[in-house]
Amino acid sequence: MRTERLEAKSSEHARRDGGKRDASAGPPRKGRETAFQGIPIAPGVAIGPLYDTAEMPAETPRRTIPAYAVEAERARLAEAVALSRKQLGKLKSKLALLPDEAQHELAPLLEAYVMMLGNSRLLRNARKRIESERLAAETAVLDESESIAAAILAAKDDDKGGLYRRAAEVREIARRLMRNLTATPFRSLKDVPEGSILVAEALTPADAALLDPSRIAGVATEEGGADGHTAIMLRALGIPSVLGCAGLTHDAARGVPAVLDGTTGTVVLWPGEAALERGRESLAAFARERAKLAKLRRLPAVTTDGETVELQANLEIPAELPLIAQAGAQGIGLLRTEFLFMNREDLPGEEAQLAAYTQIVEAMGDDPVTIRVLDWGGEKDMEAQNSGIAPTHGGPNPALGLRGLRLLLKRPELLEAQFAAILRVADRGNVRVLLPLVTNPAEVKQAREILERVARRLRRRGERLPERLPEVGVMIETPGAALAADAIALEADFFAIGTNDLAMYTLAVDRAEAEVSHLYDPLHPAVLRLMQFATEAALRLRMPVSVCGEMAGNPKLVPLLLGLGIRSFSMNAGSIPRVKQAVRALEIGDCARFARRVMEQSDPARIRELVTEFAEGVAAKV
């Protein structure tokens, strides 16, 4: 199991040289220059000595208990839960010392941890395992957490990052419980010397919260990925970081000089003079680039010939709000509401959803917030939904089954509760509604009727609503929706082209499947022609149209999208400065001519060549 594997690796690391090298013993003997490649997490360059830290593993051998010890074992688990709650409370008290971005990332995560220490599936089933299987508390917790994590990771979901985060949350709270059950101390980071590069097998989000950005130059770990909570925390803290650096801790020792580049994902141990010079140059270049991009925050996204372009941010969880403000986004172009339905034992009601939307809408002030209603079902499994409603999805091909708006129209109580919360918050800001997986005009019309019915009910109830109901938009993410865009446009107020799913459905490729992922190509002529058809259908009716998939955040693709007539983009907040930089170097006439040239092509490889050539020309102007 993964937890056992990690703890075995930590144990091996802890045994080597006694687990830690005595700082008073002086620097280690000079070695040869060695470079490691990992996953770039937080940009920036760090030059300094390594500080290796290993966490003493919690010894959790599989153990069974006699029948008479069941109640005592359940009591042990209850004590560990109480201690874990106390520890999380102390961590919460330290939030005020963190940067705002890190506070907003960690606070909801700690709340999720606290919820899992309540009447959660993890604890309910761990107690059952103690009783029915006669397992020791730590064995029961480990087995149940791995069972839950495996079920989460087995779900067929395009958002792999979200699945990994959910599985990691379960495993992290189980790890805390097991350490408390076995009285194993947690990692201490208070003695890391100033200017050091911290090296570890893995860091938890709670570990990251204890890091002082003013003291630690960089972070490198063997485990971890770009989408985890630890990665988000490190980005929020602004510490140059590289995760997933295989083999690093085998060669790392306390005091070894290193150069870490969080932009390229490289770590060089015992750097020679040439590597040091490259590191110093990269450090200076990063500082210049950061200062340059920072100046763009308050500048408008306007082309050289005066065409205004709207740059908005996608929001997956409220913790990302500070990053949106930092990036200078002009609103939220895609608020994914799935976070409300995760890690719950029940369905979120109208009041719970209202509270979440209010926090986001009020934080955005007058800037627009486009709320996409629940995009779930089919390949996406969800404990809350299964608890509250008898499951109806599944089948041999869930991606083509009951999901998105289809599911909501089949279960109107879900849509009505969400619409009610959205309508009640619409009076506090600039709110729009976005419908997922629409394939025909009738679905939009039916959803509008439900929205209007809910509005009438709320007004009778005395709720304060805006005089004009929020605009209703449609996600264009299937070939059917793109080809029927002229008819759907008659029922919709705006379009949002979801390029990720549009490419998947058009090319019949699941990019999460290794054997066919190389066929996934958003620059395939078929995908581009569908985007062009939908865009032109919207523009004929003078209706807003935006792109909210990964293409929107790629500066190289901005000229093509502008040339197709798109003037609104929604992307990861971190991509906004570079996209704005590209926009401000472009002229619309050039983009239109370039787009016409691209649309004449039938070979995806040739299209990529043209895109690269044009982007290089733009970069030369910046």
Side-chain angles (χ1 to χ4, degrees):
M1 295 182 182
R2 181 180 182 275
T3 303
E4 293 169 331
R5 186 175 73 250
L6 279 180
E7 298 204 337
K9 290 173 73 176
S10 295
S11 180
E12 177 188 353
H13 183 65
R15 287 194 301 268
R16 191 176 63 251
D17 296 327
K20 290 184 180 179
R21 190 177 190 280
D22 186 354
S24 65
R29 187 178 304 170
K30 181 172 174 56
R32 65 183 179 85
E33 179 176 304
T34 308
F36 295 86
Q37 182 64 48
I39 303 169
I41 298 299
V45 177
I47 302 174
L50 298 183
Y51 186 91
D52 63 319
T53 173
E55 187 171 62
M56 183 186 299
E59 299 295 340
T60 55
R62 294 195 63 80
R63 189 164 64 88
T64 57
I65 58 173
Y68 67 79
V70 166
E71 286 308 313
E73 209 63 22
R74 286 171 63 99
R76 281 186 67 229
L77 178 58
E79 290 173 4
V81 168
L83 181 54
S84 297
R85 284 177 168 272
K86 185 177 179 180
Q87 291 164 346
L88 293 176
K90 288 183 178 179
L91 195 53
K92 276 185 177 182
S93 68
K94 296 180 180 179
L95 285 181
L97 302 177
L98 298 175
D100 288 345
E101 296 91 333
Q103 289 185 42
H104 286 284
E105 170 58 28
L106 191 59
L109 181 58
L110 291 181
E111 289 300 329
Y113 288 164
V114 170
M115 286 178 63
M116 280 188 279
L117 290 171
N119 185 29
S120 66
R121 173 181 165 186
L122 173 65
L123 291 183
R124 288 199 315 270
N125 289 353
R127 294 187 193 104
K128 288 178 183 177
R129 287 176 184 268
I130 291 172
E131 184 173 349
S132 62
E133 301 176 39
R134 303 288 193 270
L135 295 179
E138 54 268 31
T139 305
V141 168
L142 177 60
D143 285 3
E144 184 57 30
S145 65
E146 287 300 321
S147 174
I148 296 172
I152 292 172
L153 294 174
K156 294 191 67 177
D157 187 341
D158 195 43
D159 180 19
K160 293 298 180 185
L163 293 180
Y164 285 126
R165 280 195 296 273
R166 291 173 61 200
E169 288 169 12
V170 175
R171 283 173 166 151
E172 171 57 17
I173 205 63
R175 185 189 77 96
R176 182 171 292 275
L177 286 168
M178 287 188 291
R179 297 188 80 81
N180 286 330
L181 282 163
T182 57
T184 307
F186 289 81
R187 186 197 313 271
S188 175
L189 298 170
K190 63 182 179 181
D191 297 324
V192 181
E194 187 172 353
S196 296
I197 297 174
L198 183 69
V199 176
E201 287 275 356
L203 284 182
T204 68
D207 289 334
L210 300 176
L211 300 179
D212 183 350
S214 67
R215 294 182 59 83
I216 294 178
V219 171
T221 70
E222 285 210 9
E223 300 286 337
D227 297 317
H229 285 292
T230 296
I232 296 173
M233 279 293 296
L234 290 170
R235 282 193 287 268
L237 290 168
I239 300 175
S241 305
V242 178
L243 303 186
C245 217
L248 177 64
T249 58
H250 184 271
D251 290 342
R254 193 164 298 180
V256 168
V259 176
L260 178 149
D261 192 326
T263 303
T264 62
T266 57
V267 180
V268 180
L269 307 187
W270 292 111
E273 191 54 42
L276 277 172
E277 185 58 30
R278 287 194 300 271
R280 295 186 191 108
E281 290 175 357
S282 297
L283 184 60
F286 177 75
R288 290 193 300 270
E289 180 71 7
R290 185 167 55 182
K292 188 176 181 180
L293 291 175
K295 292 178 181 177
L296 288 172
R297 178 180 173 183
R298 290 181 173 82
L299 294 177
V302 179
T303 61
T304 57
D305 52 337
E307 187 82 10
T308 299
V309 179
E310 183 179 53
L311 301 182
Q312 298 185 322
N314 297 338
L315 184 72
E316 185 171 336
I317 53 176
E320 296 171 342
L321 277 170
L323 301 179
I324 289 176
Q326 190 178 42
Q330 298 168 275
I332 297 174
L334 175 61
L335 168 57
R336 298 181 172 99
T337 57
E338 290 75 41
F339 73 91
L340 285 164
F341 295 77
M342 293 178 177
N343 295 320
R344 296 181 62 98
E345 292 298 315
D346 56 358
L347 290 163
E350 179 183 325
E351 295 300 327
Q353 294 190 54
L354 174 63
Y357 301 148
T358 299
Q359 175 193 354
I360 296 167
V361 171
E362 290 184 347
M364 296 306 297
D366 294 329
D367 289 335
V369 177
T370 301
I371 303 176
R372 186 180 69 185
V373 293
L374 181 64
D375 185 13
W376 222 288
E379 78 282 8
K380 299 181 181 179
D381 196 10
M382 177 170 44
E383 183 177 335
Q385 185 176 311
N386 289 341
S387 299
I389 300 175
T392 60
H393 52 275
N397 197 334
L400 303 180
L402 191 60
R403 56 164 297 189
L405 184 60
R406 300 170 183 175
L407 174 64
L408 296 177
L409 294 177
K410 184 79 172 181
R411 303 292 190 206
E413 67 272 23
L414 282 172
L415 189 57
E416 288 177 4
Q418 198 158 23
F419 274 164
I422 293 171
L423 286 168
R424 289 173 63 188
V425 80
D427 195 51
R428 309 182 192 190
N430 184 358
V431 174
R432 304 193 304 177
V433 175
L434 186 57
L435 306 176
L437 202 75
V438 169
T439 54
N440 64 70
E443 292 170 330
V444 186
K445 189 173 182 180
Q446 189 176 351
R448 276 190 180 279
E449 290 171 351
I450 294 174
L451 181 69
E452 291 167 358
R453 183 170 71 242
V454 171
R456 289 194 295 271
R457 186 182 72 218
L458 290 175
R459 285 194 171 109
R460 287 195 299 270
R461 204 170 76 188
E463 298 289 350
R464 181 179 174 183
L465 304 184
E467 184 176 338
R468 185 175 179 180
L469 297 185
E471 293 183 343
V472 176
V474 166
M475 289 284 293
I476 302 295
E477 48 194 335
T478 67
L483 293 172
D486 47 358
I488 294 175
L490 298 175
E491 299 291 343
D493 296 312
F494 64 94
F495 281 167
I497 302 176
T499 58
N500 299 352
D501 275 356
L502 182 60
M504 178 188 75
Y505 282 115
T506 302
L507 303 176
V509 171
D510 181 351
R511 58 179 175 166
E513 293 288 343
E515 293 184 357
V516 296
S517 60
H518 65 285
L519 298 173
Y520 178 88
D521 185 2
L523 290 179
H524 191 288
V527 179
L528 295 179
R529 286 166 188 164
L530 289 171
M531 291 176 62
Q532 182 183 42
F533 192 94
T535 300
E536 290 176 351
L539 295 179
R540 281 194 294 271
L541 293 181
R542 300 181 180 277
M543 189 176 80
V545 55
S546 67
V547 169
C548 60
E550 287 182 6
M551 290 180 73
N554 189 338
K556 291 183 178 181
L557 302 183
V558 170
L560 173 59
L561 298 177
L562 289 176
L564 291 176
I566 295 165
R567 298 293 182 268
S568 180
F569 302 78
S570 188
M571 67 203 76
N572 178 288
S575 301
I576 289 177
R578 294 189 185 281
V579 170
K580 183 184 288 188
Q581 188 177 53
V583 167
R584 291 177 58 84
L586 293 168
E587 193 267 326
I588 290 296
D590 292 340
C591 294
R593 286 186 289 273
F594 171 64
R596 284 196 294 270
R597 188 180 176 195
V598 167
M599 298 309 294
E600 292 171 354
Q601 308 301 318
S602 58
D603 181 9
R606 178 55 181 156
I607 292 175
R608 284 193 294 275
E609 287 178 6
L610 292 174
V611 166
T612 299
E613 290 172 5
F614 197 92
E616 289 173 351
V618 173
K621 300 177 185 178
V622 173

